[in-house]
Amino acid sequence: MSRIAYVNGRYLPLRDAKVHVEDRGYQFADGVYEVCEGGGGRLIDESRHLERLKRSLSEIRIRMPMSAAALGVILREVVARNRIGYGIVYLQITRGVTRRDHAFPVPQVEPSLVVTARPLNMARNAALAEKGIAVISVPDNRWGRVDIKSIGLLPNVLARQAAIDQGARDAWFVDKDGAVTEAASANAWIVTPAGKLVTRHADHGILRGITRTVLFDVINAQNLAVEERAFTLEEAFAAREAFITSASQIVLPVVRIDGRPIGDGRPGPVATALRRDFHRYAEAG
Ligand code: PDD
C-alpha cells in the first residue's frame, strides 16, 4: 500500500506529494512542525500539540492556515488513510511559496501545510526501552528560541549524527554554563541520588515537550518529588537514573552518558514505572 500525504488541500500518494522549490520552508526553514503519537483512529494529546503549534506559529508570525479543529480532521484522516495502528503523524506549516527574499512576502501568501504519518514498531521501541540507550554530550550551539518548534534543525541533525558516529544513540545539548538543556529531539531528565526527578525549566532554552508536560501528572500520581531547574552534566553523571521523553519514544531510559554508566548501567525503576503509566494520563481522542 502506498503511503498517503496531505499537501495543501490534497491527499496524495507520497511519490506525488511535492512542494514548490520556492517554498520558504525549503529556502529558509521558515516554518514550524509538530509530531504527535497516533494510531487506531486516535491521536495522543492532540489538543496540547495543536496549542503548541498555534504558539509556535504566532511567535514567528505565520497565521494558522485553518482552525485547530479542521487541522485535527486532517491529522486523523492521514492516520486513517495510512492505516496506522501505532505510529506518528507529522505536520509542517511554512510561510508559503514566494520569490526568494528574506523579508516576509507582501502581500501575504497562503501558508503551506503538509501532513504525513508513519508506523512505529511498538515491539522494537519496547525492546529499546528495556535496554536503554547511550548518549553523548555536545555543546548547545542552537539559536536562542528553541522553545519554538522550528523546522530549522541543523544543529539537532549534526548532534544526532555525532552520537551515531560515536556508537551512541542520541546527544544531550550542554549550554555555556555546563547545564544540560535537552536531547536532539527529546527532553532530558535525571533522578538524583536522593530520588528526586529533575528536568530543565521551560524557558527559551528548551522545547516544552508535551510528553514532559503529561509526565508531571504521572509523577504527581506516583507521589514522586520533581524539580524544574537546570542540572549540570556532572550531576547527570552522578544520577541514579537518566531518561529522555518525546512523543515518539515516550520515556526512554539513558544508561550511559559519554561512556559513563548511569546508576548501575541499566534502566531504573523510576523511568520504567513512568513509561508504563504514561498512557493513563495522556489524552487519547
Ligand atoms: N521531537 N525537545 C526537542 C528538541 C524535540 O524535538 C522534541 C520532540 C521534544 C519533546 O517534545 P514532545 O514531548 O512534545 O514530543 C523536546 C519530535 C518528536 C521530533 O522532532 O520528532
Side-chain angles (χ1 to χ4, degrees):
M1 189 195 84
S2 160
R3 283 174 61 199
I4 303 293
Y6 174 94
V7 185
N8 294 324
R10 296 201 293 163
Y11 295 92
L12 297 165
L14 210 54
R15 64 174 174 280
D16 302 323
K18 303 210 166 97
V19 292
H20 197 282
V21 290
E22 287 201 310
D23 190 285
R24 288 179 64 99
Y26 184 66
Q27 295 286 352
F28 297 118
D30 186 0
V32 298
Y33 75 107
E34 276 297 328
V35 176
C36 195
E37 184 192 343
R42 287 142 65 109
L43 292 174
I44 306 299
D45 286 314
E46 174 190 351
S47 56
R48 285 185 171 115
H49 281 279
L50 292 178
E51 268 310 308
R52 185 172 65 186
L53 174 71
K54 266 194 216 166
R55 178 180 179 277
S56 293
L57 285 170
S58 117
E59 291 294 316
I60 66 167
R61 296 161 61 195
I62 296 179
R63 68 196 153 80
M64 278 279 272
M66 60 186 73
S67 69
L71 276 178
V73 170
I74 294 170
L75 292 176
R76 246 164 259 281
E77 186 63 24
V78 172
V79 167
R81 288 194 188 217
N82 286 282
R83 304 206 186 110
I84 304 289
Y86 168 68
I88 49 170
V89 56
Y90 174 88
L91 173 161
Q92 173 173 314
I93 296 175
T94 73
R95 204 177 304 278
V97 176
T98 179
R99 197 185 59 153
R100 188 178 183 280
D101 178 2
H102 288 63
F104 292 178
V106 182
Q108 270 187 18
V109 293
E110 274 299 306
S112 303
L113 168 60
V114 169
V115 180
T116 57
R118 69 179 169 87
L120 290 177
N121 186 324
M122 196 185 280
R124 198 185 300 153
N125 280 1
L128 192 62
E130 272 171 37
K131 206 164 143 248
I133 61 162
V135 303
I136 61 163
S137 63
V138 295
D140 195 340
N141 55 2
R142 299 175 298 164
W143 72 318
R145 288 304 308 276
V146 298
D147 57 308
I148 299 168
K149 204 161 169 53
S150 152
I151 58 174
L153 291 171
L154 190 52
N156 311 59
V157 166
L158 295 177
R160 170 70 57 73
Q161 189 57 42
I164 289 165
D165 292 345
Q166 292 178 42
R169 180 107 190 171
D170 206 350
W172 276 18
F173 287 119
V174 177
D175 70 14
K176 59 181 181 356
D177 302 320
V180 174
T181 50
E182 60 184 334
S185 62
N187 290 118
W189 300 70
I190 56 169
V191 181
T192 67
K196 189 178 263 188
L197 283 141
V198 182
T199 194
R200 190 192 174 87
H201 50 285
D203 54 8
H204 288 170
I206 66 163
L207 180 77
R208 188 192 285 268
I210 305 301
T211 318
R212 175 186 182 282
T213 299
V214 174
L215 208 67
F216 282 105
D217 293 339
V218 190
I219 288 165
N220 287 333
Q222 293 188 1
N223 285 318
L224 298 171
V226 62
E227 230 179 313
E228 282 182 86
R229 62 163 171 86
F231 64 89
T232 62
L233 196 55
E234 291 305 318
E235 217 180 335
F237 289 146
R240 205 191 261 181
E241 294 184 34
F243 60 91
I244 56 173
T245 56
S246 74
S248 50
Q249 304 281 4
I250 312 303
V251 175
L252 184 58
V254 168
V255 293
R256 293 182 95 77
I257 304 175
D258 290 338
R260 304 194 200 189
I262 304 306
D264 64 4
R266 283 179 307 194
V270 173
T272 304
L274 292 172
R275 180 181 174 88
R276 183 197 62 214
D277 286 357
F278 180 82
H279 283 105
R280 284 173 41 197
Y281 297 87
E283 273 172 26

